[in-house]
Amino acid sequence: MSLRLDNALEALKAEGPERSLDHLEPAVWRRIEAASEMRSMDWIVLPVRAAAVVVALGVGVAGGGFAASAAADERREISVFSIDSRLAPSTLLDEQG
């Protein structure tokens, strides 16, 4: 098995590359520079992103606070013998009958 693999590797070595690799390194460096420029552009947009996150959190906290205060203002009577219990089994059976 290893003899066939060695022969296949020797055949690939004899063929050589399909295209020239002379321009590969400069192309890699160009892509690296472009990526670093894009990262430097992210710092410019960072305050806008941070402001958007702060506004979203503020809206969420304010909305949640209003909803919590509205829910706390409602009078809820938790009693087994309450007359005004809408989900009591006796009232549910009375509505269906």
Coordinates of all heavy atoms in Angstrom, one line a residue:
M1 N 0.8 -1.2 0.0 CA 0.0 0.0 0.0 C 0.9 1.2 0.0 O 0.6 2.2 -0.7 CB -0.9 0.0 1.2 CG -1.7 1.2 1.4 SD -3.3 1.0 0.7 CE -4.1 2.5 1.1
S2 N 1.9 1.3 0.8 CA 2.7 2.5 0.9 C 3.5 2.7 -0.4 O 3.8 3.8 -0.8 CB 3.7 2.4 2.1 OG 4.6 1.4 1.9
L3 N 3.8 1.6 -1.1 CA 4.5 1.7 -2.4 C 3.6 2.4 -3.4 O 4.1 3.3 -4.1 CB 4.9 0.3 -2.9 CG 5.8 0.3 -4.1 CD1 7.1 1.1 -3.9 CD2 6.1 -1.1 -4.5
R4 N 2.3 2.1 -3.4 CA 1.4 2.8 -4.4 C 1.3 4.3 -4.0 O 1.3 5.1 -4.9 CB 0.0 2.2 -4.3 CG 0.0 0.9 -5.1 CD -1.4 0.4 -5.3 NE -2.4 0.9 -4.4 CZ -3.6 0.4 -4.2 NH1 -4.0 -0.6 -4.8 NH2 -4.5 1.0 -3.3
L5 N 1.3 4.5 -2.7 CA 1.2 5.9 -2.3 C 2.5 6.7 -2.7 O 2.4 7.8 -3.1 CB 1.0 6.0 -0.8 CG 0.8 7.4 -0.2 CD1 -0.4 8.1 -0.7 CD2 0.7 7.3 1.3
D6 N 3.6 6.1 -2.4 CA 4.9 6.7 -2.8 C 4.9 7.0 -4.3 O 5.4 8.0 -4.8 CB 6.0 5.8 -2.4 CG 6.3 5.8 -0.9 OD1 5.8 6.7 -0.2 OD2 6.9 4.8 -0.4
N7 N 4.5 6.0 -5.1 CA 4.5 6.2 -6.6 C 3.5 7.4 -7.0 O 3.8 8.2 -7.9 CB 4.0 4.9 -7.3 CG 5.1 3.9 -7.2 OD1 6.3 4.1 -6.9 ND2 4.7 2.6 -7.3
A8 N 2.3 7.4 -6.3 CA 1.4 8.5 -6.6 C 2.0 9.9 -6.3 O 1.8 10.9 -7.0 CB 0.1 8.3 -5.9
L9 N 2.6 10.0 -5.1 CA 3.3 11.2 -4.7 C 4.4 11.6 -5.6 O 4.6 12.8 -5.9 CB 3.8 11.1 -3.3 CG 2.7 11.1 -2.2 CD1 3.3 10.8 -0.8 CD2 1.9 12.4 -2.2
E10 N 5.2 10.7 -6.1 CA 6.3 11.0 -7.1 C 5.7 11.5 -8.4 O 6.2 12.4 -9.0 CB 7.1 9.7 -7.3 CG 8.0 9.4 -6.1 CD 9.1 10.4 -5.8 OE1 9.6 11.1 -6.8 OE2 9.3 10.6 -4.6
A11 N 4.6 10.9 -8.8 CA 3.9 11.3 -10.0 C 3.4 12.8 -9.9 O 3.5 13.6 -10.8 CB 2.8 10.4 -10.4
L12 N 2.8 13.1 -8.8 CA 2.4 14.5 -8.5 C 3.5 15.4 -8.5 O 3.4 16.6 -9.0 CB 1.6 14.5 -7.2 CG 0.1 14.1 -7.3 CD1 -0.5 14.1 -5.9 CD2 -0.7 14.9 -8.2
K13 N 4.6 15.0 -7.9 CA 5.8 15.9 -7.8 C 6.4 16.2 -9.2 O 6.8 17.3 -9.4 CB 6.8 15.2 -6.9 CG 8.1 16.0 -6.7 CD 9.0 15.2 -5.7 CE 10.3 15.9 -5.6 NZ 11.3 15.1 -4.8
A14 N 6.3 15.2 -10.0 CA 6.9 15.3 -11.4 C 6.0 16.3 -12.2 O 6.5 17.0 -13.1 CB 7.0 14.0 -12.1
E15 N 4.7 16.3 -12.0 CA 3.8 17.2 -12.7 C 4.1 18.7 -12.5 O 4.0 19.5 -13.4 CB 2.4 16.9 -12.4 CG 1.8 15.6 -13.0 CD 0.4 15.4 -12.7 OE1 -0.3 16.3 -12.2 OE2 -0.1 14.3 -12.8
G16 N 4.3 19.0 -11.2 CA 4.5 20.4 -10.9 C 3.1 21.1 -10.7 O 2.1 20.5 -11.0
P17 N 3.1 22.3 -10.3 CA 1.9 23.0 -10.0 C 1.2 23.4 -11.3 O 1.8 23.5 -12.4 CB 2.3 24.3 -9.3 CG 3.7 24.5 -9.6 CD 4.3 23.1 -9.9
E18 N -0.2 23.5 -11.3 CA -0.9 23.9 -12.5 C -0.7 25.3 -12.9 O -0.7 25.6 -14.1 CB -2.4 23.7 -12.2 CG -2.8 22.3 -12.0 CD -4.3 22.1 -11.8 OE1 -5.1 23.1 -12.0 OE2 -4.8 21.1 -11.4
R19 N -0.4 26.2 -12.0 CA -0.2 27.6 -12.3 C 1.0 28.1 -11.5 O 1.4 27.5 -10.5 CB -1.4 28.4 -12.0 CG -1.9 28.4 -10.6 CD -3.1 29.2 -10.4 NE -3.5 29.1 -9.0 CZ -4.4 29.9 -8.5 NH1 -5.0 30.8 -9.2 NH2 -4.7 29.8 -7.2
S20 N 1.5 29.2 -11.9 CA 2.7 29.8 -11.2 C 2.3 30.3 -9.9 O 1.2 30.9 -9.7 CB 3.2 30.9 -12.1 OG 4.3 31.5 -11.4
L21 N 3.1 30.0 -8.9 CA 2.9 30.5 -7.5 C 3.7 31.8 -7.2 O 3.8 32.2 -6.1 CB 3.2 29.4 -6.5 CG 2.4 28.1 -6.7 CD1 2.9 27.1 -5.7 CD2 0.9 28.4 -6.5
D22 N 4.2 32.4 -8.3 CA 5.0 33.6 -8.0 C 4.3 34.8 -7.4 O 4.8 35.6 -6.7 CB 5.7 34.1 -9.4 CG 6.6 33.0 -9.9 OD1 7.2 32.2 -9.1 OD2 6.9 33.0 -11.1
H23 N 3.0 34.9 -7.8 CA 2.2 36.0 -7.3 C 1.4 35.7 -6.1 O 0.5 36.5 -5.7 CB 1.3 36.5 -8.5 CG 2.0 36.9 -9.7 ND1 2.8 38.1 -9.7 CD2 2.2 36.3 -10.9 CE1 3.4 38.2 -10.9 NE2 3.0 37.1 -11.7
L24 N 1.6 34.5 -5.5 CA 0.8 34.1 -4.4 C 1.0 35.0 -3.2 O 0.1 35.4 -2.5 CB 1.0 32.6 -4.1 CG 0.2 32.1 -3.0 CD1 -1.3 32.1 -3.3 CD2 0.6 30.7 -2.7
E25 N 2.3 35.2 -2.8 CA 2.6 35.9 -1.6 C 2.1 37.3 -1.6 O 1.5 37.8 -0.7 CB 4.1 35.8 -1.3 CG 4.5 36.5 0.0 CD 6.0 36.3 0.3 OE1 6.7 35.7 -0.5 OE2 6.4 36.9 1.3
P26 N 2.4 38.1 -2.7 CA 1.8 39.5 -2.8 C 0.3 39.5 -2.7 O -0.3 40.4 -2.0 CB 2.3 40.0 -4.1 CG 3.4 39.2 -4.5 CD 3.2 37.8 -3.9
A27 N -0.4 38.5 -3.2 CA -1.8 38.5 -3.1 C -2.3 38.2 -1.7 O -3.3 38.8 -1.2 CB -2.4 37.4 -4.1
V28 N -1.6 37.4 -1.0 CA -1.9 37.1 0.4 C -1.7 38.4 1.2 O -2.5 38.7 2.1 CB -1.0 35.9 1.0 CG1 -1.2 35.8 2.5 CG2 -1.5 34.6 0.3
W29 N -0.6 39.1 1.0 CA -0.4 40.3 1.8 C -1.4 41.4 1.5 O -1.8 42.1 2.3 CB 1.1 40.8 1.5 CG 2.1 40.0 2.3 CD1 3.0 39.2 1.8 CD2 2.2 40.0 3.7 NE1 3.8 38.7 2.8 CE2 3.3 39.1 4.0 CE3 1.6 40.6 4.8 CZ2 3.7 38.8 5.3 CZ3 2.0 40.3 6.1 CH2 3.0 39.4 6.3
R30 N -1.9 41.4 0.2 CA -2.9 42.4 -0.1 C -4.2 42.1 0.6 O -4.9 43.0 1.1 CB -3.2 42.4 -1.6 CG -2.2 43.3 -2.4 CD -2.7 43.5 -3.9 NE -3.0 42.2 -4.6 CZ -2.1 41.6 -5.3 NH1 -0.8 42.1 -5.4 NH2 -2.4 40.5 -5.9
R31 N -4.5 40.8 0.7 CA -5.8 40.4 1.4 C -5.6 40.7 2.9 O -6.6 41.1 3.6 CB -6.1 39.0 1.2 CG -6.6 38.7 -0.2 CD -7.0 37.3 -0.4 NE -8.2 37.1 0.3 CZ -8.8 35.9 0.4 NH1 -8.2 34.8 -0.2 NH2 -9.9 35.7 1.1
I32 N -4.4 40.5 3.5 CA -4.2 40.8 4.9 C -4.3 42.3 5.2 O -4.9 42.7 6.1 CB -2.8 40.3 5.4 CG1 -2.8 38.7 5.4 CG2 -2.4 40.8 6.7 CD1 -1.5 38.1 5.6
E33 N -3.8 43.1 4.3 CA -3.9 44.6 4.4 C -5.3 45.0 4.3 O -5.8 45.9 5.1 CB -3.0 45.3 3.4 CG -1.5 45.2 3.7 CD -0.7 45.7 2.5 OE1 -1.2 46.4 1.6 OE2 0.5 45.5 2.6
A34 N -6.1 44.4 3.4 CA -7.5 44.8 3.2 C -8.3 44.4 4.5 O -9.1 45.2 4.9 CB -8.1 44.1 2.0
A35 N -8.0 43.3 5.1 CA -8.7 42.9 6.3 C -8.3 43.8 7.4 O -9.2 44.1 8.2 CB -8.3 41.4 6.6
S36 N -7.1 44.2 7.5 CA -6.7 45.1 8.6 C -7.3 46.5 8.4 O -7.7 47.1 9.4 CB -5.2 45.2 8.8 OG -4.6 45.9 7.6
E37 N -7.5 46.9 7.2 CA -8.2 48.2 6.9 C -9.7 48.1 7.3 O -10.2 49.1 7.9 CB -8.1 48.6 5.5 CG -6.7 49.1 5.1 CD -6.6 49.4 3.6 OE1 -7.6 49.4 2.9 OE2 -5.4 49.6 3.2
M38 N -10.3 47.0 7.1 CA -11.7 46.8 7.5 C -11.8 46.8 9.0 O -12.8 47.3 9.5 CB -12.2 45.5 6.9 CG -12.4 45.5 5.4 SD -13.5 46.9 4.8 CE -15.0 46.2 5.5
R39 N -10.8 46.2 9.7 CA -10.9 46.2 11.1 C -10.7 47.6 11.7 O -11.3 48.0 12.7 CB -9.8 45.3 11.7 CG -10.3 43.9 11.9 CD -9.4 43.1 12.7 NE -9.1 41.9 12.0 CZ -7.9 41.6 11.4 NH1 -6.9 42.3 11.5 NH2 -7.8 40.4 10.8
S40 N -9.9 48.4 11.0 CA -9.7 49.8 11.5 C -11.0 50.6 11.2 O -11.3 51.6 11.9 CB -8.5 50.5 10.8 OG -8.8 50.6 9.4
M41 N -11.8 50.3 10.2 CA -13.0 50.9 9.9 C -14.1 50.6 11.0 O -15.0 51.4 11.2 CB -13.6 50.6 8.5 CG -12.7 51.1 7.4 SD -12.6 52.8 7.3 CE -14.2 53.2 6.6
D42 N -14.0 49.4 11.6 CA -14.9 49.0 12.6 C -14.9 50.0 13.8 O -15.9 50.2 14.5 CB -14.6 47.6 13.1 CG -15.1 46.6 12.0 OD1 -15.9 46.9 11.2 OD2 -14.7 45.4 12.2
W43 N -13.7 50.5 14.1 CA -13.6 51.4 15.2 C -14.3 52.7 15.0 O -14.8 53.4 15.9 CB -12.1 51.8 15.5 CG -11.4 50.6 16.1 CD1 -10.5 49.7 15.5 CD2 -11.5 50.2 17.5 NE1 -10.1 48.8 16.4 CE2 -10.7 49.0 17.6 CE3 -12.2 50.6 18.6 CZ2 -10.5 48.4 18.8 CZ3 -12.1 50.0 19.8 CH2 -11.2 48.8 19.9
I44 N -14.5 53.1 13.7 CA -15.3 54.3 13.4 C -16.8 54.1 13.7 O -17.5 55.0 14.2 CB -15.0 54.7 11.9 CG1 -13.6 55.1 11.7 CG2 -16.0 55.8 11.5 CD1 -13.2 55.3 10.3
V45 N -17.3 52.9 13.4 CA -18.7 52.6 13.6 C -19.0 52.1 15.0 O -20.2 52.1 15.4 CB -19.1 51.5 12.6 CG1 -20.5 51.2 12.6 CG2 -18.6 51.9 11.2
L46 N -18.0 51.9 15.8 CA -18.3 51.4 17.2 C -19.1 52.3 18.0 O -20.0 51.8 18.7 CB -16.9 51.1 17.9 CG -17.0 50.4 19.2 CD1 -17.6 49.1 19.1 CD2 -15.6 50.4 19.9
P47 N -19.0 53.6 18.0 CA -19.9 54.4 18.8 C -21.3 54.3 18.4 O -22.2 54.4 19.2 CB -19.3 55.8 18.6 CG -17.9 55.7 18.2 CD -17.9 54.4 17.5
V48 N -21.5 54.2 17.1 CA -22.9 54.1 16.6 C -23.5 52.8 17.1 O -24.7 52.7 17.6 CB -23.0 54.2 15.1 CG1 -24.4 53.9 14.5 CG2 -22.4 55.5 14.6
R49 N -22.8 51.7 17.1 CA -23.2 50.4 17.5 C -23.5 50.4 19.0 O -24.5 49.9 19.5 CB -22.2 49.3 17.2 CG -22.1 49.0 15.8 CD -21.1 47.9 15.6 NE -20.9 47.5 14.2 CZ -20.1 46.7 13.8 NH1 -19.2 46.1 14.6 NH2 -20.0 46.4 12.5
A50 N -22.6 51.0 19.8 CA -22.8 51.1 21.2 C -24.0 52.0 21.6 O -24.8 51.6 22.5 CB -21.6 51.7 21.9
A51 N -24.2 53.1 20.8 CA -25.4 53.9 21.1 C -26.7 53.1 20.8 O -27.7 53.2 21.5 CB -25.4 55.2 20.2
A52 N -26.7 52.3 19.7 CA -27.9 51.5 19.4 C -28.2 50.5 20.4 O -29.3 50.3 20.8 CB -27.6 50.8 18.0
V53 N -27.1 49.9 21.0 CA -27.3 48.9 22.1 C -27.9 49.6 23.3 O -28.8 49.1 24.0 CB -26.0 48.2 22.4 CG1 -26.1 47.4 23.7 CG2 -25.6 47.2 21.2
V54 N -27.4 50.8 23.6 CA -27.8 51.5 24.8 C -29.3 51.9 24.6 O -30.1 51.8 25.6 CB -26.9 52.7 25.1 CG1 -27.6 53.7 26.1 CG2 -25.6 52.3 25.6
V55 N -29.7 52.4 23.4 CA -31.1 52.8 23.2 C -32.0 51.6 23.3 O -33.1 51.6 23.9 CB -31.2 53.5 21.8 CG1 -32.6 53.6 21.4 CG2 -30.5 54.8 21.8
A56 N -31.6 50.4 22.7 CA -32.4 49.2 22.7 C -32.6 48.8 24.2 O -33.7 48.4 24.6 CB -31.7 48.1 21.9
L57 N -31.5 48.8 25.0 CA -31.6 48.4 26.4 C -32.5 49.4 27.1 O -33.4 49.0 28.0 CB -30.3 48.4 27.0 CG -29.4 47.1 26.7 CD1 -28.0 47.3 27.3 CD2 -30.0 45.9 27.2
G58 N -32.4 50.7 26.9 CA -33.3 51.7 27.5 C -34.7 51.5 27.2 O -35.6 51.5 28.1
V59 N -35.0 51.2 25.9 CA -36.4 51.0 25.5 C -36.9 49.7 26.2 O -38.1 49.7 26.7 CB -36.5 50.9 24.0 CG1 -37.9 50.4 23.5 CG2 -36.3 52.3 23.4
G60 N -36.1 48.7 26.2 CA -36.6 47.4 26.9 C -36.8 47.6 28.4 O -37.8 47.1 28.9
V61 N -35.9 48.3 29.0 CA -36.1 48.5 30.5 C -37.3 49.4 30.7 O -38.1 49.1 31.6 CB -34.8 49.1 31.1 CG1 -35.0 49.6 32.5 CG2 -33.7 48.1 31.1
A62 N -37.5 50.4 29.9 CA -38.6 51.3 30.1 C -39.9 50.6 29.9 O -40.9 50.7 30.7 CB -38.5 52.6 29.2
G63 N -40.0 49.9 28.8 CA -41.2 49.1 28.5 C -41.5 48.0 29.5 O -42.6 47.8 29.9
G64 N -40.5 47.4 30.0 CA -40.6 46.4 31.0 C -41.1 47.0 32.3 O -41.9 46.4 33.1
G65 N -40.5 48.2 32.6 CA -40.9 48.9 33.9 C -42.4 49.3 33.8 O -43.1 49.2 34.8
F66 N -42.8 49.8 32.7 CA -44.2 50.2 32.6 C -45.1 49.0 32.7 O -46.2 49.1 33.3 CB -44.5 51.0 31.2 CG -43.9 52.4 31.2 CD1 -43.2 52.8 30.1 CD2 -44.0 53.2 32.3 CE1 -42.6 54.1 30.1 CE2 -43.5 54.5 32.3 CZ -42.8 54.9 31.2
A67 N -44.7 47.9 32.0 CA -45.6 46.7 32.1 C -45.6 46.2 33.5 O -46.7 45.7 34.0 CB -45.1 45.7 31.1
A68 N -44.5 46.2 34.2 CA -44.5 45.7 35.6 C -45.3 46.6 36.5 O -46.0 46.1 37.4 CB -43.0 45.6 36.0
S69 N -45.2 47.9 36.3 CA -46.0 48.8 37.2 C -47.5 48.6 36.9 O -48.3 48.7 37.8 CB -45.5 50.2 37.0 OG -45.8 50.7 35.7
A70 N -47.8 48.5 35.6 CA -49.3 48.3 35.3 C -49.8 46.9 35.9 O -50.9 46.9 36.4 CB -49.5 48.3 33.8
A71 N -48.9 45.9 35.9 CA -49.3 44.6 36.4 C -49.4 44.7 37.9 O -50.2 44.0 38.5 CB -48.4 43.5 36.0
A72 N -48.5 45.5 38.6 CA -48.6 45.6 40.0 C -49.7 46.4 40.5 O -50.2 46.2 41.6 CB -47.2 46.2 40.5
D73 N -50.3 47.3 39.7 CA -51.4 48.2 40.1 C -52.7 47.4 40.1 O -53.6 47.8 40.8 CB -51.5 49.4 39.1 CG -50.4 50.4 39.3 OD1 -49.7 50.3 40.4 OD2 -50.2 51.2 38.4
E74 N -52.8 46.3 39.3 CA -54.0 45.5 39.3 C -54.2 44.8 40.6 O -53.2 44.2 41.2 CB -54.0 44.5 38.2 CG -54.0 45.1 36.8 CD -54.0 44.0 35.7 OE1 -54.2 42.9 36.0 OE2 -53.8 44.4 34.6
R75 N -55.4 44.8 41.1 CA -55.7 44.2 42.4 C -55.9 42.7 42.1 O -56.8 42.3 41.4 CB -56.9 44.8 43.1 CG -57.1 44.2 44.4 CD -58.2 45.0 45.1 NE -58.5 44.4 46.4 CZ -59.7 43.9 46.7 NH1 -60.7 44.0 45.9 NH2 -59.8 43.3 47.9
R76 N -55.1 41.9 42.7 CA -55.3 40.4 42.5 C -55.5 39.8 43.8 O -54.8 39.9 44.7 CB -54.0 39.8 41.9 CG -53.8 40.3 40.5 CD -52.7 39.5 39.8 NE -52.5 40.0 38.5 CZ -51.3 39.9 37.8 NH1 -50.3 39.4 38.4 NH2 -51.2 40.4 36.6
E77 N -56.7 39.2 43.9 CA -57.0 38.5 45.1 C -56.8 37.0 44.9 O -57.4 36.4 44.0 CB -58.5 38.7 45.4 CG -58.9 38.2 46.7 CD -60.4 38.6 47.0 OE1 -60.8 39.7 46.6 OE2 -61.1 37.8 47.6
I78 N -55.9 36.5 45.7 CA -55.6 35.1 45.6 C -56.3 34.4 46.8 O -55.8 34.5 47.9 CB -54.1 34.8 45.6 CG1 -53.5 35.5 44.4 CG2 -53.8 33.3 45.5 CD1 -52.0 35.4 44.4
S79 N -57.4 33.9 46.6 CA -58.2 33.2 47.7 C -59.0 32.1 47.1 O -59.6 32.2 46.0 CB -59.1 34.2 48.4 OG -59.9 33.5 49.3
V80 N -59.0 31.0 47.8 CA -59.7 29.8 47.3 C -61.2 30.1 47.3 O -62.0 29.7 46.5 CB -59.4 28.6 48.2 CG1 -60.2 27.4 47.7 CG2 -57.9 28.3 48.1
F81 N -61.7 30.8 48.3 CA -63.1 31.1 48.5 C -63.5 32.4 48.0 O -64.6 32.9 48.3 CB -63.4 31.0 50.0 CG -63.0 29.6 50.6 CD1 -62.0 29.5 51.4 CD2 -63.7 28.5 50.2 CE1 -61.6 28.3 52.0 CE2 -63.4 27.3 50.7 CZ -62.4 27.1 51.6
S82 N -62.8 33.0 47.0 CA -63.1 34.3 46.5 C -64.3 34.1 45.5 O -64.5 33.1 44.8 CB -62.0 34.8 45.7 OG -62.3 36.0 45.0
I83 N -65.2 35.1 45.6 CA -66.4 35.1 44.7 C -66.0 35.5 43.3 O -66.6 35.0 42.3 CB -67.5 36.1 45.3 CG1 -67.9 35.6 46.6 CG2 -68.6 36.2 44.3 CD1 -68.8 36.6 47.3
D84 N -65.0 36.3 43.2 CA -64.6 36.8 41.9 C -63.5 36.0 41.2 O -62.6 36.5 40.7 CB -64.2 38.3 42.0 CG -64.0 38.9 40.7 OD1 -64.7 38.6 39.7 OD2 -63.1 39.8 40.6
S85 N -63.5 34.7 41.4 CA -62.5 33.9 40.7 C -63.0 33.3 39.4 O -63.9 32.5 39.4 CB -62.0 32.8 41.7 OG -63.1 32.1 42.1
R86 N -62.5 33.8 38.4 CA -63.1 33.5 37.0 C -62.7 32.1 36.6 O -63.4 31.5 35.8 CB -62.5 34.5 36.0 CG -63.1 35.8 36.1 CD -62.4 36.8 35.2 NE -61.2 37.2 35.9 CZ -60.1 37.6 35.4 NH1 -60.0 37.6 34.1 NH2 -59.1 38.0 36.1
L87 N -61.6 31.5 37.1 CA -61.2 30.2 36.7 C -61.5 29.1 37.7 O -60.9 28.0 37.6 CB -59.7 30.3 36.4 CG -59.3 31.2 35.2 CD1 -57.8 31.2 35.1 CD2 -59.9 30.8 33.9
A88 N -62.3 29.4 38.6 CA -62.7 28.4 39.6 C -63.5 27.3 38.9 O -64.3 27.6 38.0 CB -63.5 29.0 40.7
P89 N -63.3 26.0 39.3 CA -64.1 25.0 38.6 C -65.6 25.1 38.6 O -66.3 24.8 37.7 CB -63.6 23.7 39.3 CG -62.3 24.0 39.9 CD -62.4 25.5 40.2
S90 N -66.1 25.6 39.7 CA -67.5 25.8 39.8 C -68.1 26.8 38.8 O -69.1 26.7 38.2 CB -67.9 26.2 41.2 OG -67.3 27.4 41.6
T91 N -67.3 27.9 38.6 CA -67.7 28.9 37.6 C -67.6 28.4 36.2 O -68.4 28.7 35.3 CB -67.0 30.2 37.8 OG1 -65.6 30.0 37.6 CG2 -67.3 30.9 39.1
L92 N -66.5 27.6 35.9 CA -66.3 27.1 34.6 C -67.4 26.1 34.3 O -67.9 26.0 33.1 CB -65.0 26.4 34.5 CG -63.8 27.4 34.5 CD1 -62.5 26.6 34.5 CD2 -63.8 28.4 33.4
L93 N -67.9 25.3 35.2 CA -68.9 24.3 35.0 C -70.3 25.0 34.8 O -71.1 24.6 34.0 CB -69.0 23.3 36.1 CG -67.8 22.3 36.2 CD1 -67.9 21.5 37.5 CD2 -67.8 21.4 35.0
D94 N -70.4 26.1 35.5 CA -71.7 26.8 35.5 C -71.9 27.5 34.1 O -73.0 27.5 33.6 CB -71.7 27.9 36.6 CG -73.1 28.6 36.7 OD1 -74.1 27.9 36.5 OD2 -73.1 29.8 36.9
E95 N -70.8 27.9 33.5 CA -70.8 28.6 32.2 C -71.2 27.6 31.1 O -71.8 27.9 30.1 CB -69.5 29.3 31.9 CG -69.3 30.5 32.7 CD -67.9 31.1 32.5 OE1 -67.2 30.6 31.5 OE2 -67.5 32.0 33.2
Q96 N -70.7 26.4 31.2 CA -70.9 25.4 30.1 C -72.3 24.8 30.2 O -72.9 24.3 29.3 CB -69.9 24.3 30.2 CG -68.5 24.7 29.9 CD -67.5 23.6 30.0 OE1 -67.8 22.5 30.4 NE2 -66.2 23.9 29.8
G97 N -72.9 24.7 31.4 CA -74.2 24.1 31.6 C -75.3 25.0 31.3 O -76.1 25.2 30.7

